Amino acid sequence: MAWLISPLRRPPLPSLPPPPPTSYSRRPADSVGSAGLRVSSRAGAISRRKCFWPGPAPDSPTAQRGREPVEAKPESASRVRVSPSGAPSGPLSDWEAAQAPGFVEFITSERVKVVAMLALALSLCNADRVVMSVVIVPLSLSHGWSRSFAGIVQSSFLWGYLISPIAGGALVDYYGGKVVMGWGVALWSLATFLTPWAAEASLLALLAMRVLLGIAEGVALPCMNKLVARWFPGAERARAVSIAMAGFTLGNAIGLTLSPILMSQGGIYGPFVIFGLSGFLWVLVWLSAITSTPDQHPQISKYELNYIRSGRHEPLEPNTKSKTSSMIPPFKRLLSKMPTWSLIVANAMHSWGFFVILSWMPIYFYSVYHVDLRQAAWYSAVPWSVMAFVGYLGGMWSDLLIQGGTSISLTRKLMQSIGFIGPGIALIGLTTAKQPSIASAWLTLAIGLKSFSHSGFLVNLQEISPKYSGVLHGISNTAGTLAAIVGTVGAGFFVELVGSFRGFLLLTSILYISAAIFWDIFSTGERINFDETDLSLHSGSTVS
């Protein structure tokens, strides 16, 4: 009876039972975002220990019921557990769902800072290359270039872009994304800065700067893919890629809209100087604030690091390279699998449409609808702004489908089908437009739907082989560059021979639909074995 009279002397309560097993490590008590869980699970026990009101005997059923842990309610019943291969493996328990980060934690995390810097870099990447699409008009008039020769000048960027993706992808796989991305941005900013002086000096110097720009920018997308694979769990990668690619597409809008304004103030020097200096500033911030992997970051929280590790599709890679590791990837085995060829075809068609629209739409509006250069740039820029927004929505939808139990393979096929068949139909509508505003609306629809490809083949590169995602991106990007060269140069010759842009847009539409069919037949979301010496994997099977 003494413990009833003086509750301070009552026997200590037995410890709480452990929580059910979870794929996420519990967040530290002092971390932001775990307050709701802490209150629901720990505060109840603490408050019971501090209660001075006489309670039932420790062994009574009432006391035992009071000591059961209070389960945290999930924010969404649609969350699922993702296996190491990226395949859904059943719904998360209430406890596991409570551990998943909320929106505030996501936008303030270190991984979002990384993807935000990537988005800025890709924005500069596209702004630097798209300046020539606007400057080519006064340059052609001053030098007396034909449209076919103007297409050759614009495609000179792609000559360099053809060289670097495979080598850059291998370097990214070996050295990590931070160093390679930093050097790439520094070199392409230098080429951008020097371009107007090269144009004044000679045609050869101009072509050399455009080739250097292409070589340096060839590492950008492999670096982005590798860093996203290292910094984001599988359930967030489509969203992360969409954020990065939103910067990529906004770079088109920024370059197309600001270039005429800067040219009106500083001639052809204006846009090149401003964008080049912006790149140098980005490099300083990048080298001081970003690491190649989350394990190397000095400020990342333990919770975020454990969350990234638990949701990644591949085991943690060591920071040091073994003596037997090689920079030369297994090209024969990579090219022996049809999913690789589905990536190659998808990237080729994506680049064909992307560069044809990017390079020729200002001239298309200028020549077909007889609008001035600034209006033509605006009509061409609006669709890219919409693409950034729609691409993010597509990434969120893709992640929700996977979290809801839809297979990764089906999700990627759906996203890519929308990203190819949608633009194919919209380009047919573009050929029928009689007014520039209607044409801009069709072009906006085509480019907006095209952004679903970012949640298709672009994420699939990381899923079928995280180890070789950089070189896979390089191989497919090289094929895409070849297609872009053919499309960009071919459009100029096609217009001179046929006398109309509309026939070339119809050809592009047919190619879009054909590529979608090829993708749906041969692509997969499962892990593919490209390394015969790895006995833990089986060719074409999912790694669990």
Side-chain angles (χ1 to χ4, degrees):
M1 297 296 295
W3 64 276
L4 289 174
I5 299 173
S6 178
L8 291 173
R9 297 173 53 192
R10 68 179 179 176
L13 295 176
S15 59
L16 294 175
T22 175
S23 61
Y24 298 104
S25 298
R26 178 163 179 167
R27 192 170 186 175
D30 57 349
S31 299
V32 179
S34 61
L37 179 61
R38 185 167 59 251
V39 171
S40 62
S41 61
R42 292 182 57 192
I46 294 172
S47 63
R48 286 193 294 274
R49 289 191 178 98
K50 292 184 178 180
C51 179
F52 290 93
W53 188 261
D59 298 332
S60 67
T62 304
Q64 294 298 327
R65 285 197 302 269
R67 289 173 193 144
E68 293 176 359
V70 180
E71 293 185 352
K73 299 298 181 182
E75 295 179 3
S76 171
S78 64
R79 297 185 186 274
V80 298
R81 184 186 297 106
V82 179
S83 70
S85 66
S89 58
L92 292 176
S93 66
D94 289 349
W95 182 277
E96 290 173 318
Q99 310 302 308
F103 177 73
V104 175
E105 191 280 334
F106 179 76
I107 63 174
T108 57
S109 63
E110 295 299 326
R111 63 189 184 279
V112 169
K113 295 176 185 176
V114 172
V115 81
M117 287 296 293
L118 287 172
L120 287 174
L122 295 180
S123 180
L124 287 170
C125 174
N126 252 7
D128 289 350
R129 72 172 67 167
V130 81
V131 170
M132 187 57 70
S133 299
V134 179
V135 176
I136 194 67
V137 176
L139 281 179
S140 298
L141 293 175
S142 61
H143 292 84
W145 296 339
S146 64
R147 285 183 179 172
S148 58
F149 190 80
I152 294 175
V153 173
Q154 293 200 81
S155 70
S156 61
F157 159 83
L158 297 170
W159 305 346
Y161 201 70
L162 179 66
I163 299 172
S164 59
I166 295 179
L171 289 172
V172 171
D173 288 338
Y174 193 81
Y175 290 108
K178 176 184 177 179
V179 175
V180 179
M181 190 70 163
W183 274 105
V185 177
L187 287 176
W188 87 53
S189 298
L190 177 64
T192 301
F193 185 83
L194 295 178
T195 294
W197 285 276
E200 293 293 330
S202 67
L203 176 61
L204 183 61
L206 174 61
L207 295 178
M209 287 299 102
R210 296 294 293 173
V211 170
L212 177 60
L213 178 68
I215 292 174
E217 289 195 358
V219 305
L221 292 179
C223 284
M224 180 275 292
N225 240 312
K226 195 69 174 182
L227 286 164
V228 168
R230 291 291 171 266
W231 273 90
F232 283 84
E236 292 180 353
R237 286 185 185 173
R239 198 183 323 171
V241 169
S242 297
I243 293 173
M245 295 305 294
F248 190 71
T249 54
L250 281 175
N252 294 330
I254 292 171
L256 288 170
T257 54
L258 289 185
S259 292
I261 299 173
L262 295 174
M263 286 171 59
S264 65
Q265 302 296 322
I268 66 170
Y269 290 84
F272 291 107
V273 170
I274 295 299
F275 292 138
L277 292 178
S278 299
F280 293 137
L281 178 61
W282 181 93
V283 171
L284 295 177
V285 178
W286 174 261
L287 294 179
S288 62
I290 302 300
T291 59
S292 290
T293 64
D295 310 88
Q296 301 169 346
H297 201 285
Q299 297 178 346
I300 191 171
S301 67
K302 183 179 179 181
Y303 165 77
E304 184 179 3
L305 181 59
N306 289 333
Y307 174 65
I308 294 171
R309 286 175 174 177
S310 65
R312 280 200 303 211
H313 294 184
E314 72 281 355
L316 184 66
E317 290 186 3
N319 293 334
T320 58
K321 301 291 180 181
S322 64
K323 294 182 179 179
T324 58
S325 61
S326 173
M327 287 182 60
I328 302 176
F331 288 107
K332 184 178 180 179
R333 293 195 294 271
L334 290 172
L335 295 174
S336 67
K337 309 290 185 180
M338 288 308 297
T340 300
W341 286 99
S342 69
L343 290 170
I344 291 173
V345 171
N347 204 331
M349 190 61 240
H350 182 77
S351 297
W352 173 291
F354 180 88
F355 281 99
V356 165
I357 294 173
L358 183 67
S359 300
W360 288 103
M361 281 305 101
I363 300 178
Y364 178 78
F365 280 93
Y366 179 78
S367 60
V368 173
Y369 300 106
H370 308 292
V371 298
D372 62 38
L373 183 59
R374 183 172 295 188
Q375 286 180 312
W378 273 99
Y379 280 124
S380 304
V382 170
W384 300 109
S385 302
V386 174
M387 185 182 189
F389 177 72
V390 176
Y392 182 73
L393 294 181
M396 289 186 63
W397 184 27
S398 173
D399 287 341
L400 288 174
L401 286 175
I402 294 174
Q403 291 171 6
T406 305
S407 69
I408 293 179
S409 294
L410 180 59
T411 301
R412 300 301 171 228
K413 291 176 189 291
L414 175 62
M415 295 294 110
Q416 195 60 57
S417 296
I418 297 174
F420 277 176
I421 296 176
I425 296 174
L427 288 180
I428 296 175
L430 175 61
T431 62
T432 65
K434 304 299 182 182
Q435 300 294 328
S437 58
I438 302 300
S440 182
W442 278 113
L443 186 62
T444 299
L445 180 62
I447 295 179
L449 294 176
K450 179 181 173 63
S451 66
F452 279 84
S453 294
H454 301 162
S455 300
F457 83 93
L458 204 54
V459 184
N460 191 239
L461 287 160
Q462 308 161 11
E463 293 165 341
I464 67 171
S465 181
K467 180 177 180 181
Y468 297 114
S469 62
V471 71
L472 276 174
H473 201 153
I475 293 172
S476 62
N477 221 24
T478 298
T481 304
L482 285 171
I485 292 174
V486 173
T488 305
V489 177
F493 283 102
F494 188 94
V495 171
E496 285 193 350
L497 293 174
V498 180
S500 172
F501 275 104
R502 291 187 172 92
F504 195 81
L505 292 177
L506 290 174
L507 173 62
T508 301
S509 177
I510 295 172
L511 292 175
Y512 262 130
I513 297 173
S514 301
I517 296 172
F518 189 91
W519 171 268
D520 288 339
I521 294 174
F522 294 110
S523 66
T524 181
E526 296 183 347
R527 183 79 62 83
I528 304 298
N529 176 27
F530 293 116
D531 193 347
E532 296 176 348
T533 62
D534 191 346
L535 299 180
S536 65
L537 302 179
H538 299 281
S539 179
S541 63
T542 304
V543 181
S544 58

